[in-house]
Amino acid sequence: LMTSHNIEGMPTKAKENEFTGDGKEVVYLSVSGNLSAMFVVELKAESNIKYWVNQLCKNNVHLIIKSVDSCVTLKRLSKVFDIPEEFMRIIPKKLHSEFDEQTKKSVRLSASMACSGRFSEFAQLIMTAKSLHSSAVTGLIVQSISILLGIGMGILIIISNSFGYIGMPSSAVLIYNLIFALITYL
């Protein structure tokens, strides 16, 4: 970028490599077309944040990052947090206003979940919501199967009674309902 803008005084790659290494990045500052400063930047993850980012990754939760910093890339973040790049996306600049609108602070809002703003609590909320969702879907499937089997049993009882044969005692229907009530409860 500095070369394409004809900034003078740029150090050679060999000189730059003397200062960088182990994931460090060089950021330049120019004033009036001349190089004024060179900053050596290193991105590190706080251990608590790194732990929760990894937990989110293990729970198949993807991260959305809002940044226009040239040092913040998916490759670098993947290395810093030890997670695959596929679990992260950097929002393009054109979507920042929409992101800000969706995540703006509210004075008063009805919410079923809340946290104090710490990343660990936020990550736990997201993982809990995801597990509740899968439990709810599983319960819905079990109840749907129970209903379909109950309808089938009712049809069999009606058909068998119409021919004068009592094929299923009423205690079997009661046991059936108790079994599926227990499964639904679990």
Side-chain angles (χ1 to χ4, degrees), residues 96-120:
H96 283 198
S97 60
E98 187 176 332
F99 177 84
D100 292 338
E101 179 65 30
Q102 293 293 323
T103 59
K104 69 181 177 186
K105 291 191 177 196
S106 297
V107 177
R108 186 179 172 128
L109 186 67
S110 175
S112 57
M113 297 188 300
C115 69
S116 67
R118 289 190 292 187
F119 184 74
S120 60

Side-chain angles (χ1 to χ4, degrees), residues 6-64:
N6 299 321
I7 304 300
E8 296 178 10
M10 293 293 296
T12 62
K13 270 291 187 195
K15 189 69 171 170
E16 187 178 289
N17 289 337
E18 288 179 24
F19 297 104
T20 60
D22 298 330
K24 294 179 183 172
E25 181 80 20
V26 175
V27 178
Y28 295 103
L29 173 68
S30 69
V31 176
S32 299
N34 293 315
L35 180 65
S36 298
M38 179 176 91
F39 301 97
V40 178
V41 179
E42 182 177 15
L43 297 178
K44 286 189 174 184
E46 183 183 327
S47 61
N48 186 38
I49 302 295
K50 187 174 184 175
Y51 170 79
W52 286 108
V53 165
N54 278 282
Q55 291 301 310
L56 288 170
C57 181
K58 287 178 186 175
N59 283 281
N60 202 24
V61 175
H62 293 68
L63 304 175
I64 298 174

Side-chain angles (χ1 to χ4, degrees), residues 64-75:
I64 298 174
I65 301 149
K66 178 186 168 193
S67 176
V68 292
D69 194 330
S70 62
C71 292
V72 178
T73 63
L74 293 179
K75 187 175 184 179

